[in-house]
Amino acid sequence: MKKIFVITALSLAVISLTNCKKVLEKSDLGNFTAEQVFNDSTTVKLNVDYLYSQNQPGWFGSTGGSIHSAGTYNLTEEGQGSNVFVLGTATIESVTDLGVANANNNSYGKIRTINTFLRDLNAGTLDLAVKRRFAAQAYFWRAYRYFELVKLYGGVPLILVPLNAVGDEAKQLALTPRAKTSEVFAQIKSDLDSCVKYLPAKWPKQADYGRITSGAAAAFMGRVLLTYASPQFNPNNDAARWQAAYDANKTAVTILSANGFGLYPKFDYTMWTTEGGTSNGAPANPEAVLVTGFNTSSVDINANNNSFDNSARPRSVSGNGSFTPSYEMSLAFPMLDGKPASGPGASTKYPYAMSTFYKNRDPRFYATIAYNGATWGNVMNGARLWTYYYYSAATGTTNKTTEATAASNTGFYLRKGVDETKASPSTFIGTDWIEIRYAEVLLNLAESAAELNKSGLADEPYVNLIAIRKRAGIEAGADGLYGLDAGMSRSDLVAAIMKERQVEFAFEGKRFFDLRRRKLLESTLNGMKRNALVIQLKRSGTLATDYIASTREASASTSLDALYASNFTLSLKALDNQNINFQSGNYFYGIPTAAINNNVNLQQNNTWGGPFDPLQ
């Protein structure tokens, strides 16, 4: 979907869009009527494409709103950022996604646009089969919007038809109370059932790459029902919910695998840069289940670029250096044999030492994190990345960094998804965002299977974990378990799956929501201070300069280990000024005062002093 023209019967405007994202041009079409628009499949298609443009997530899964504005990577051990959530100072005013403004760019404004489309589509004269296919795409985005709301607050008002703007009846309907959480999930499931039933498993035209397929809808259903089965919403561990999640994810795997989807052959940047569909509708990238497309055009009328690649590159090569993994994130990756770097069950074949933190790691470490002395494709213009400090005075303690411009505050940079064929950053980067990867569907299935006590070596928890670890390049080991322990219990398997998700989906916007739905925020993060890895160039006699600057490239090529041993000391430095302190209220956020004042029938969550039970 590289260029889309949208006609909306509401605004009676033609809107030029690129990649379902960028609004560029408007012209009045006051003579058009809803009947003219919704009796023609071409103009209906343009309208449904506008729904994509309003609702598709961006990089890191961002949909805007309070949580994504804070940066999900700043809410866990992935990166570091100070915000009300990690500081424990969130209030009922902190999460404003419910919205009160009459605007088409907030949650209910977008839902109104979807509902209006469905109403007018239904009133049109298109063939029933054509209507169903268009409607199914709209139902997907309505389900998507309500899922974003329900996972934040619990039950919210369910609005399924466009409300009138004026009149006494309109005023009453605008005061719709919150539906039960169970009712919202039931509506999401109903909408997604229509998507799975009426959408194609693959679209035949390459130009339709990025449209919702039945497999993508089934995969999203699996994510939704996994969340509903998780402890956040299911504190009594109702097995029926886990069974529903298992069935949904099993269906998704079946549909996807039958239509060319599967694990991408290797875990590296090409998993992100391989895009598009083939002439038979199969994906060029089997991993890409649900995609937001971007392009590289520099012409305004066509341009729809993302800022991620430019933001990720170091400032020393004219990037923004915005995403810097913490030392804790680097430590989370296992060793090459799949065993942990530290703690219980730590690798004995490849014992971890901070002085050689980069050595013999899970290959996903190297594809995710750029570190001092690492090669990085063409990103560093043919040189290695250097993030060490050196003494600026022979007798002083002041340090300078070898990075001349705004050094990484952690010693690391995020490497995942950066196009390593490009030697310099550019505004015009078109790498697509993959919201649902096939690996997620496998791990969603594995988790729901583990919760149902499917724990044998032939069951999904082991089979799917092994498939993902094998793709990563972890050693099989003599037992063929790729570092996994044999005979794990239900709780052990769930813990192993959560650890795998942390590594596999690092910086993909999932870690915070995984910890939240499993109610692990406090036990995992509270009391932690995230750290930087400080790499210091040793003094050489009285020298207080970067005395290895002219020789480090050759030395590293000969032996990076030797260069580290002879020239660097490593230490940790706290990034946080105080310990992380998540509140229990983070599992269901409070309804902001403005929303309650706007709708007197809204009740506050009982986790914030009100009568509404978000677990019902």
Side-chain angles (χ1 to χ4, degrees):
M1 292 185 287
K2 293 302 179 187
K3 186 176 181 183
I4 295 165
F5 294 93
V6 180
I7 301 174
T8 67
L10 290 174
S11 63
L12 300 180
V14 172
I15 304 173
S16 173
L17 294 173
T18 299
N19 235 17
C20 306
K21 296 292 286 186
K22 187 170 182 177
V23 178
L24 296 169
E25 178 182 335
K26 293 184 179 181
S27 59
D28 184 36
L29 286 179
N31 293 325
F32 274 75
T33 65
E35 288 76 14
Q36 288 174 300
V37 171
F38 286 92
N39 292 345
D40 182 275
S41 61
T42 300
T43 51
V44 172
K45 174 182 175 293
L46 301 179
N47 270 265
V48 82
D49 289 346
Y50 180 60
L51 302 184
Y52 281 81
S53 75
Q54 278 199 313
N55 293 287
Q56 285 179 308
W59 271 80
F60 305 111
S62 176
T63 58
S66 306
I67 300 299
H68 287 288
S69 295
T72 53
Y73 40 81
N74 292 326
L75 298 172
T76 71
E77 65 279 79
E78 289 181 330
Q80 187 273 337
S82 181
N83 53 71
V84 297
F85 305 106
V86 298
L87 293 175
T89 57
T91 70
I92 60 174
E93 314 298 348
S94 297
V95 179
T96 59
D97 297 48
L98 199 63
V100 295
N102 182 19
N104 65 1
N105 63 350
N106 63 27
S107 295
Y108 278 99
K110 293 175 181 178
I111 289 170
R112 175 181 173 80
T113 302
I114 294 166
N115 287 338
T116 302
F117 172 86
L118 289 166
R119 179 198 65 192
D120 293 343
L121 174 69
N122 186 59
T125 59
L126 294 177
D127 289 343
L128 181 58
V130 176
K131 281 186 180 181
R132 284 172 170 169
R133 183 166 291 191
F134 282 127
Q137 294 172 76
Y139 284 134
F140 179 88
W141 292 117
R142 188 168 71 180
Y144 183 87
R145 291 260 66 89
Y146 273 118
F147 181 59
E148 288 296 300
L149 288 171
V150 76
K151 71 182 182 182
L152 293 177
Y153 301 107
V156 293
L158 269 179
I159 309 298
L160 304 178
V161 295
L163 303 182
N164 292 326
V166 296
D168 291 338
E169 182 180 2
K171 291 180 181 179
Q172 293 303 314
L173 288 174
L175 302 180
T176 301
R178 298 174 69 177
K180 292 181 179 180
T181 300
S182 58
E183 293 170 340
V184 178
F185 273 102
Q187 183 59 50
I188 293 170
K189 182 179 183 303
S190 176
D191 282 349
L192 291 174
D193 281 337
S194 293
C195 300
V196 176
K197 184 175 182 180
Y198 294 119
L199 286 174
K202 52 188 177 184
W203 294 83
K205 296 180 181 178
Q206 293 187 51
D208 285 322
Y209 175 71
R211 291 196 183 281
I212 308 302
T213 64
S214 59
F220 188 66
M221 175 92 79
R223 179 192 286 184
V224 168
L225 294 183
L226 181 78
T227 300
Y228 191 45
S230 296
Q232 178 192 2
F233 290 97
N234 188 22
N236 296 323
N237 202 32
D238 180 0
R241 293 194 193 178
W242 287 113
Q243 186 65 54
Y246 175 85
D247 293 342
N249 283 294
K250 190 77 169 178
T251 296
V253 168
T254 300
I255 295 173
L256 291 167
S257 61
N259 289 278
F261 293 89
L263 291 176
Y264 189 76
K266 55 184 177 179
F267 189 100
D268 70 359
Y269 73 95
T270 64
M271 185 168 65
W272 297 91
T273 59
T274 301
E275 304 172 353
T278 62
S279 58
N280 66 356
N285 181 350
E287 188 91 15
V289 173
L290 180 61
V291 174
T292 300
F294 294 94
N295 66 29
T296 59
S297 176
S298 60
V299 180
D300 281 350
I301 198 168
N302 295 318
N304 181 39
N305 322 129
N306 70 71
S307 62
F308 165 75
D309 192 287
N310 187 44
S311 295
R313 293 168 185 254
R315 292 188 182 182
S316 58
V317 289
S318 301
N320 291 335
S322 299
F323 312 121
T324 52
S326 70
Y327 174 72
E328 284 71 27
M329 185 67 246
S330 78
L331 191 61
F333 289 85
M335 306 306 289
L336 183 57
D337 61 356
K339 298 296 185 182
S342 63
S347 176
T348 56
K349 182 178 181 181
Y350 301 112
Y352 176 84
M354 189 169 71
S355 59
T356 53
F357 66 90
Y358 56 85
K359 194 171 181 181
N360 298 317
R361 304 300 299 276
D362 175 342
R364 289 173 293 187
F365 171 88
Y366 306 106
T368 304
I369 294 177
Y371 57 90
N372 182 63
T375 58
W376 195 354
N378 291 327
V379 171
M380 300 302 299
N381 299 309
R384 291 174 182 259
L385 174 68
W386 300 103
T387 62
Y388 61 85
Y389 289 81
Y390 62 92
Y391 291 98
S392 61
T395 58
T397 58
T398 303
N399 295 340
K400 288 187 176 180
T401 175
T402 189
E403 295 185 272
T405 307
S408 164
N409 68 322
T410 69
F412 300 114
Y413 286 100
L414 178 62
R415 184 171 186 162
K416 176 182 279 188
V418 174
D419 189 343
E420 298 186 16
T421 67
K422 292 180 169 56
S424 60
S426 170
T427 304
F428 309 113
I429 294 293
T431 306
D432 293 346
W433 167 249
I434 308 176
E435 173 61 20
I436 299 180
R437 293 202 277 118
Y438 189 82
E440 181 193 343
V441 187
L442 291 184
L443 288 178
N444 290 349
L445 179 60
E447 184 179 341
S448 52
E451 289 286 5
L452 293 171
N453 285 312
K454 297 177 184 290
S455 57
L457 292 178
D459 291 319
E460 287 93 353
Y462 274 101
V463 170
N464 292 358
L465 280 169
I466 287 171
I468 288 170
R469 288 186 154 215
K470 182 178 180 180
R471 188 268 297 274
I474 289 175
E475 293 176 345
D479 58 5
L481 292 180
Y482 293 82
L484 299 172
D485 294 328
M488 285 191 281
S489 67
R490 180 195 65 79
S491 59
D492 290 338
L493 278 168
V494 171
I497 291 163
M498 291 297 292
K499 190 68 176 178
E500 201 69 24
R501 293 179 72 96
Q502 179 187 12
V503 170
E504 178 73 22
F505 304 130
F507 283 87
E508 293 184 38
K510 293 177 172 58
R511 175 66 170 167
F512 171 72
F513 290 107
D514 276 345
L515 292 176
R516 187 167 172 267
R517 68 178 175 81
R518 297 285 330 182
K519 296 199 76 172
L520 295 173
L521 286 172
E522 296 144 297
S523 60
T524 302
L525 299 174
N526 278 9
M528 172 190 292
K529 284 184 179 179
R530 293 160 290 191
N531 286 280
L533 180 65
V534 179
I535 302 174
Q536 177 73 56
L537 182 64
K538 296 176 182 178
R539 291 183 185 276
S540 179
T542 60
L543 289 178
T545 62
D546 186 6
Y547 59 86
I548 66 168
S550 63
T551 60
R552 63 195 181 193
E553 295 287 334
S555 297
S557 296
T558 300
S559 175
L560 186 61
D561 292 355
L563 180 66
Y564 263 81
S566 62
N567 291 282
F568 297 129
T569 59
L570 281 70
S571 61
L572 299 180
K573 178 182 178 181
L575 294 165
D576 292 301
N577 293 323
Q578 68 179 63
N579 292 341
I580 293 176
N581 182 35
F582 274 102
Q583 305 151 280
S584 59
N586 277 279
Y587 297 113
F588 293 104
Y589 294 111
I591 305 297
T593 302
I596 291 177
N597 289 343
N598 194 56
N599 179 356
V600 296
N601 289 331
L602 289 183
Q603 293 183 334
Q604 185 60 268
N605 280 329
N606 59 16
T607 51
W608 293 90
F612 187 88
D613 183 359
L615 294 177
Q616 289 188 354

